[in-house]
Amino acid sequence: MNLKSGYPYFFLKNGLYHDFDVLRENITTDVVVLGGGISGALMAYELVKQGIECCVIDKRKIGLGSTGASTCLLQYEIDVPLHQLITKIGKGNAIEAYRLCSEAIDKIYKIAGEIGYKDFSYCESLYFSHTSRKNTYLQREFESRHEAGFKVKYLLEKEIQERYKLRSKEAILSEKAARIDAYLFTHLLHLHNQKKECRVYEATHVTKITETGEGVELITDTDLKINTKKIIYATGYEVTEQISKSIVDLKSTFALVTERIENLPDCFGKSLFWNTDDPYLYVREDKGRLIIGGRDEKHYNPAKREILLERKAKKLKGDFEKIFPDIKIKTQFTWAGTFGSTKDGLPYIGPYAKNPNSYFALGFGGNGITFSALAADLISGLIKDKVNTIPPMFSFNR
């Protein structure tokens, strides 16, 4: 599957950070993690921590799928606002989903410290409206989050202008969010896991997977065999080829990174920005540059995505300059990637009835990284303790 177009910023920034081995012999292991992006790296980290023998297999170079195209925002807010999610899955489940995402941010911070990743950065998150008049949408969302115990403030136009020089009628300010470089973080995670005897293989293309009574057999395009008791699919959007049930709508999303900006206001180093509009916009900072994204298209069509890329980048630049008119930016790189959404904005985590020796870590949506951290914790615990504690709102049966 063609997952991206253009020149993803974090790959250009880091280059081919590390070369991992290619599989050259038949192997046996207790668990195979299929997919070596950030989802697979987090999964292997938790398996190793639980003392479970495992290996990671990726058909690409490590980090060159969706991970390399990520803009790496960590938020507890999911794609479906809390007040709307409550109506979909109930108050308790909705609040629990948001709470678990908040805890996942802290978990990633803790892992970053363990593996020597130094660029994890906590920040605030400003969820704002740029409509011409006030509406009740943000007010309802604020009330739902505040009642659920999240640290949020409701800001109006004057305060928003004073604090951020941003044109907006109203906004929710959340104290909890973060930024990372998912590509570099993934490589450091794999190097850490290798030291704990987790084998990592890249450029190893599995072409056939067969579940047997004994476990799972994988065959590569070079006719090598991998035998394992369990397999964990951490292949992101490509896993749709393994599941008969329709669980995700694939889209294309677009992003640009600016040249370094002299005298960039301090608020960009302290906050993420994202809005309620359609098409939506989000902004984050990295080393004096701004990463601006959004303008999704409701299709997965690599050829069309390529054609649209530069036009979408110009629109994103214009979207930014409308709300931050005092900041002049120059686009340096542009890219696009595959993006998926589920009916409720939630991930699919755990077993799938038709594949008894398989588990799935499918963190679709804007919270892919925090969902991946959740999946790693939940699935590794299930394999270790044989007890399913995966919340029902993440299951395939919902």
Side-chain angles (χ1 to χ4, degrees):
M1 181 179 281
N2 186 333
L3 294 173
K4 61 185 183 299
S5 305
Y7 302 97
Y9 168 63
F10 289 106
F11 170 63
L12 292 173
K13 179 181 176 182
N14 295 290
L16 290 172
Y17 186 80
H18 182 82
D19 288 320
F20 293 89
D21 291 337
V22 177
L23 184 67
R24 302 191 187 280
E25 61 183 2
N26 298 335
I27 61 171
T28 299
T29 186
D30 285 348
V31 179
V32 167
V33 179
L34 195 61
I38 192 166
S39 298
L42 285 164
M43 184 63 65
Y45 168 86
E46 291 296 340
L47 291 170
V48 166
K49 189 175 178 181
Q50 295 282 1
I52 300 168
E53 182 193 33
C54 64
C55 74
V56 176
I57 306 290
D58 198 301
K59 70 179 181 181
R60 299 181 178 87
K61 296 287 288 183
I62 291 296
L64 292 192
S66 295
T67 296
S70 173
T71 50
C72 313
L73 282 65
L74 304 184
Q75 297 173 285
Y76 68 80
E77 301 100 321
I78 68 173
D79 292 344
V80 176
L82 181 57
H83 73 276
Q84 294 180 355
L85 190 60
I86 287 171
T87 66
K88 289 176 177 288
I89 66 172
K91 187 173 184 179
N93 285 337
I95 292 173
E96 178 71 356
Y98 268 64
R99 183 188 65 79
L100 287 170
C101 284
S102 177
E103 291 179 356
I105 296 174
D106 296 327
K107 184 167 188 67
I108 293 168
Y109 170 72
K110 182 179 178 182
I111 294 172
E114 291 179 16
I115 67 174
Y117 175 76
K118 301 183 184 302
D119 286 339
F120 183 102
S121 176
Y122 277 112
C123 57
E124 300 175 333
S125 174
L126 191 75
Y127 186 37
F128 65 94
S129 171
H130 191 231
T131 57
S132 59
R133 63 183 186 279
K134 287 187 62 178
N135 56 57
T136 61
Y137 173 90
L138 275 178
Q139 183 66 48
R140 293 198 305 272
E141 181 63 10
F142 168 77
E143 290 169 356
S144 295
R145 293 194 204 173
H146 184 264
E147 184 181 345
F150 294 102
K151 294 181 179 180
V152 290
K153 296 179 181 178
Y154 192 72
L155 307 183
L156 296 177
E157 186 172 10
K158 182 179 179 181
E159 187 173 3
I160 296 168
Q161 175 64 27
E162 290 174 351
R163 292 178 66 163
Y164 305 104
K165 308 303 180 188
L166 165 67
R167 289 181 178 176
S168 175
K169 294 291 184 182
E170 53 192 331
I172 299 171
L173 179 64
S174 296
E175 291 187 11
K176 184 79 160 292
R179 297 170 298 217
I180 64 169
D181 174 340
Y183 178 82
L184 178 58
F185 185 79
T186 295
H187 276 257
L188 294 179
L189 257 179
H190 282 307
L191 291 171
H192 169 86
N193 295 339
Q194 278 189 326
K195 293 176 183 177
K196 305 291 184 179
E197 300 186 352
C198 172
R199 291 168 285 179
V200 181
Y201 300 102
E202 64 182 11
T204 300
H205 189 189
V206 172
T207 56
K208 185 177 181 181
I209 301 172
T210 305
E211 293 210 23
T212 68
E214 300 297 321
V216 185
E217 180 184 74
L218 297 83
I219 300 177
T220 73
D221 59 352
T222 56
D223 293 324
L224 294 174
K225 293 182 179 179
I226 308 164
N227 288 294
T228 183
K229 296 175 184 176
K230 302 289 183 183
I231 181 171
I232 300 172
Y233 291 89
T235 51
Y237 304 116
E238 291 174 300
V239 84
T240 54
E241 299 167 6
Q242 302 293 329
I243 295 177
S244 57
K245 182 178 180 179
S246 178
I247 59 174
V248 62
D249 294 322
L250 297 182
K251 305 176 183 179
S252 296
T253 190
F254 301 83
L256 66 85
V257 63
T258 70
E259 295 181 357
R260 284 193 174 88
I261 302 169
E262 295 294 330
N263 302 314
L264 186 66
D266 291 343
C267 63
F268 288 98
K270 298 175 181 178
S271 307
L272 308 178
F273 299 88
W274 54 303
N275 70 7
T276 63
D277 295 358
D278 185 13
Y280 72 93
L281 178 80
Y282 62 85
V283 182
R284 62 156 291 189
E285 182 269 350
D286 184 77
K287 309 297 184 184
R289 304 175 190 271
L290 294 179
I291 300 171
I292 304 168
R295 287 275 172 177
D296 295 357
E297 285 286 319
K298 295 180 180 180
H299 63 74
Y300 166 72
N301 184 321
K304 188 175 180 181
R305 188 177 66 203
E306 292 275 2
I307 294 170
L308 288 172
L309 179 54
E310 292 307 314
R311 188 190 318 166
K312 290 285 187 175
K314 289 180 181 179
K315 288 183 178 295
L316 286 170
K317 182 176 182 290
D319 292 340
F320 175 86
E321 291 174 343
K322 283 180 183 177
I323 56 176
F324 289 104
D326 297 332
I327 302 175
K328 303 305 177 186
I329 61 174
K330 292 183 178 180
T331 300
Q332 188 161 38
F333 304 110
T334 63
W335 71 99
T338 301
F339 175 80
S341 61
T342 62
K343 60 185 179 182
D344 48 20
L346 296 175
Y348 284 88
I349 298 173
Y352 179 57
K354 293 185 179 181
N355 304 77
N357 296 312
S358 301
Y359 301 97
F360 294 83
L362 309 180
F364 300 132
N367 288 63
I369 298 174
T370 51
F371 287 156
S372 294
L374 282 176
D377 192 46
L378 292 167
I379 293 174
S380 64
L382 173 55
I383 293 174
K384 176 71 173 179
D385 301 326
K386 307 294 191 297
V387 177
N388 191 347
T389 58
I390 298 172
M393 63 275 196
F394 299 158
S395 78
F396 284 89
N397 296 324
R398 69 181 189 265

